[in-house]
Amino acid sequence: MATRVIGASGLARDLGRWRDPETEGDSPERRPHRPAYLALAEAIRLLIHDGRAPLGVALPSERDLATTLGVSRTTITSTYSLLREHGYLISRQGSRSTVALPPAIQHDGAKAARGIMALMAQPELPTIDMTYAAMSAPPEMHEAYATALQGIPAYLGTHGMDPVGVLALREALARRYTARGLPTEPDQILVTLGAQHGLRLLLNVLTSPAARVLIEHPSYPNAIEAIRDVGARPIPVPLRPEFPHAGWDLDGIRSTARQTAATLAYLVPDFNNPTGLLLDEAGRAELAAIARDTRMTIVVDESMSELNLSGAPMPPPVAAFAKGSEIITIGSASKSFWGGLRVGWIRTNQALITKLLGIRATVDLGTPVMDQLATVDLLENADPILERRREQLRAQRGALLDAVAEDLPGWHIMPGAGGMSLWAQLPSPVSTALAATAPNHGVLLAAGPRFGVQGAFERFLRLPFTHPEPELRLAVKSIASAYAALTPRAADPLRPLTCY
């Protein structure tokens, strides 16, 4: 398998204004404060920590990068040597230098994660748990189960185990897909125990050990773990909010699919978790074309698709642009209605559903009938329920943004178009350390590296806005307290590079 390579022009674009501000416009070799290779090395290292230079990817050749950046070959050689010395590049004879993280950083991250899990196992948990993004049940949940109870007698004369899903739910889901611009028949739906369960079934059928699965970077952490659990390898393609199509690097997806020969991708174009970004209509059409051109199947996770907080019309589902079976859709009632409602679904062709049923028989025997019937009732009354939940999320997001602006003014947040969380960029790459110390200040956090591969996103933190407004404000004050306690000793672990 050929090594995936970052092009010189692509790296230069991500580096932006990498030279020291005080000497901007000067020749980097004549910089009075520090050599150009130091500034460039620190800029590349920030890209590595931010996940924009994925681990295992090869950097451009020294000659190409020197030409693109307009610096000497010696500057690039010194930059790569310094990064290599600090463990951010791995070089093998006859091969390109590939991006890495120093073993000490990986060890510290794993140690901090174990510490967080130990704290969570203690009887007295911190008062506010910000590690999850899910809302409490709407008032209609009680009525939905009451209605389901009235309908359950029709199923009591059967064995109650239906691996495909009750027809009433599949019909309701087919109507909702059709209304969104994707004509669907009930026999194209397989009901699951949630979107995560659906993804796991698909991975078991569509991948093999060591297979490459493309993912957005950052992405849903449980999906990343599911890919690893089946022996496949997640291949990250960074999200870039400044790009067209609201952040999706479609050229990067196409080139990565070709370079890695990936046959499967897992993407969340409907309010990516954790960023909340939404892929636009033109991007969806191009994404479907990429799937056809590269013969890559794309699993589109629509778990957040009902949580549009922008007020703008939603684009059609990605599968509406497919011309065959290259796009598979998974969805869930958990985010829209309630996490305790373990009902999800897969929309695909009948041939694949038959294969999935063969795998499912070894795992479970179907989704509980009561939960399915309750979901039918919720879907039939979905519009007022969802609009009220969207209004609640907008208000809570506003409260969270105000609290961060007041108590954490150095943090940068670019709110997405929807979803349930904000993706906050910290002034320094201390996300794991912050998550480790936060429980001592009354809050549990999910560190940025949970949403990436091999230690990326140490400068980021996911902040869900699913708690009531008073709890969100208190949580931010607790985070600010933890951050203030942390920064005197760990504000900038990148500084050691300036010693050389």
Side-chain angles (χ1 to χ4, degrees), residues 38 42 45 82 86 88 492-500:
L38 281 178
E42 289 183 354
R45 185 161 54 164
L82 185 57
H86 282 268
Y88 287 91
D492 193 356
L494 300 189
R495 283 297 112 189
L497 273 187
T498 61
C499 297
Y500 291 83

Side-chain angles (χ1 to χ4, degrees), residues 40 82 101 117 136 147 149-150 221 223 228 278 295 401 443:
L40 182 57
L82 185 57
L101 275 179
M117 295 305 295
S136 58
T147 301
L149 188 60
Q150 294 175 5
R228 289 174 172 148
L278 174 69
R295 298 184 178 181
L401 285 167
V443 62

Side-chain angles (χ1 to χ4, degrees), residues 116 128-131 434-435 438-439 443-447 461-463 479:
I116 294 169
I128 304 175
D129 188 350
M130 298 281 281
T131 63
L434 178 60
V443 62
L444 284 173
L445 300 173
L461 187 72
R462 186 185 73 166
L463 298 174
I479 295 169

Side-chain angles (χ1 to χ4, degrees), residues 139-153 370 373-374 377:
E140 291 84 356
M141 188 62 64
H142 183 275
E143 182 179 349
Y145 271 101
T147 301
L149 188 60
Q150 294 175 5
I152 200 68
M370 275 288 290
L373 295 180
D377 184 77

Side-chain angles (χ1 to χ4, degrees), residues 213-217 219 237 248 250 253 265-270 272 279 287 296 298-302 318 328 330:
V213 179
L214 263 63
I215 62 169
E216 299 142 333
H217 211 214
S219 187
V237 179
W248 272 263
L250 298 175
I253 292 174
Y266 166 81
L267 302 176
V268 190
D270 294 276
N272 163 268
L279 181 62
L287 185 60
M296 178 177 66
I298 299 179
V299 177
V300 172
D301 189 339
E302 290 189 339
V318 177
I328 300 169
I330 59 177

Side-chain angles (χ1 to χ4, degrees), residues 85-305:
E85 184 174 351
H86 282 268
Y88 287 91
L89 283 183
I90 296 176
S91 298
R92 296 180 178 87
Q93 188 171 6
S95 301
R96 291 177 179 265
S97 296
T98 56
V99 173
L101 275 179
I105 291 179
Q106 298 184 40
H107 173 75
D108 289 345
K111 182 179 178 181
R114 290 193 296 271
I116 294 169
M117 295 305 295
L119 283 165
M120 292 178 68
Q122 293 176 0
E124 295 185 3
L125 293 178
T127 52
I128 304 175
D129 188 350
M130 298 281 281
T131 63
Y132 65 90
M135 301 177 71
S136 58
E140 291 84 356
M141 188 62 64
H142 183 275
E143 182 179 349
Y145 271 101
T147 301
L149 188 60
Q150 294 175 5
I152 200 68
Y155 299 87
L156 296 180
T158 72
H159 52 62
M161 296 177 290
D162 185 350
V164 179
V166 301
L167 180 59
L169 177 56
R170 290 187 287 117
E171 288 177 338
L173 290 168
R175 287 193 297 271
R176 200 152 186 90
Y177 272 119
T178 301
R180 292 175 56 207
L182 179 59
T184 301
E185 298 296 329
D187 58 9
Q188 293 177 269
I189 304 290
L190 172 64
V191 180
T192 65
L193 290 164
Q196 184 72 9
H197 176 233
L199 175 61
R200 188 59 181 263
L201 292 175
L202 289 166
L203 290 171
N204 284 332
V205 170
L206 299 176
T207 64
S208 57
R212 271 69 171 172
V213 179
L214 263 63
I215 62 169
E216 299 142 333
H217 211 214
S219 187
Y220 180 46
N222 290 336
I224 296 174
E225 289 306 314
I227 293 168
R228 289 174 172 148
D229 284 347
V230 298
R233 178 183 172 188
I235 303 296
V237 179
L239 284 172
R240 307 175 189 276
E242 72 279 7
F243 268 35
H245 309 301
W248 272 263
D249 184 357
L250 298 175
D251 288 339
I253 292 174
R254 179 183 286 105
S255 63
T256 299
R258 289 172 174 166
Q259 290 185 36
T260 64
T263 58
L264 187 68
Y266 166 81
L267 302 176
V268 190
D270 294 276
F271 314 117
N272 163 268
N273 183 0
T275 66
L277 295 174
L278 174 69
L279 181 62
D280 61 18
E281 184 170 346
R284 291 165 187 250
E286 186 173 349
L287 185 60
I290 291 170
R292 292 191 297 272
D293 294 344
T294 61
R295 298 184 178 181
M296 178 177 66
T297 300
I298 299 179
V299 177
V300 172
D301 189 339
E302 290 189 339
S303 298
M304 299 277 190
S305 63

Side-chain angles (χ1 to χ4, degrees), residues 236-422:
V237 179
L239 284 172
R240 307 175 189 276
E242 72 279 7
F243 268 35
H245 309 301
W248 272 263
D249 184 357
L250 298 175
D251 288 339
I253 292 174
R254 179 183 286 105
S255 63
T256 299
R258 289 172 174 166
Q259 290 185 36
T260 64
T263 58
L264 187 68
Y266 166 81
L267 302 176
V268 190
D270 294 276
F271 314 117
N272 163 268
N273 183 0
T275 66
L277 295 174
L278 174 69
L279 181 62
D280 61 18
E281 184 170 346
R284 291 165 187 250
E286 186 173 349
L287 185 60
I290 291 170
R292 292 191 297 272
D293 294 344
T294 61
R295 298 184 178 181
M296 178 177 66
T297 300
I298 299 179
V299 177
V300 172
D301 189 339
E302 290 189 339
S303 298
M304 299 277 190
S305 63
E306 301 284 7
L307 303 179
N308 178 13
L309 307 183
S310 70
M314 280 289 292
V318 177
F321 300 94
K323 296 183 179 179
S325 58
E326 65 268 20
I327 306 294
I328 300 169
T329 300
I330 59 177
S332 170
S334 298
K335 299 298 185 183
S336 301
F337 299 115
W338 185 44
L341 189 63
R342 303 312 305 157
V343 175
W345 51 86
I346 301 171
R347 183 201 178 276
T348 185
N349 59 74
Q350 295 180 46
L352 180 54
I353 287 179
T354 300
K355 294 180 182 179
L356 292 168
L357 290 174
I359 291 291
R360 183 170 193 173
T362 68
V363 179
D364 70 280
L365 299 177
T367 306
V369 175
M370 275 288 290
D371 285 2
Q372 293 186 67
L373 295 180
T375 304
V376 172
D377 184 77
L378 290 167
L379 288 172
E380 290 176 347
N381 300 281
D383 291 345
I385 298 173
L386 292 171
E387 183 53 40
R388 190 173 63 252
R389 290 173 83 73
R390 286 190 287 262
E391 290 177 1
Q392 180 182 351
L393 287 170
R394 288 188 192 101
Q396 291 171 181
R397 182 178 65 174
L400 180 57
L401 285 167
D402 290 344
V404 170
E406 179 178 351
D407 295 316
L408 294 164
W411 292 28
H412 175 71
I413 296 177
M414 181 181 294
M420 291 182 160
S421 62
L422 300 174

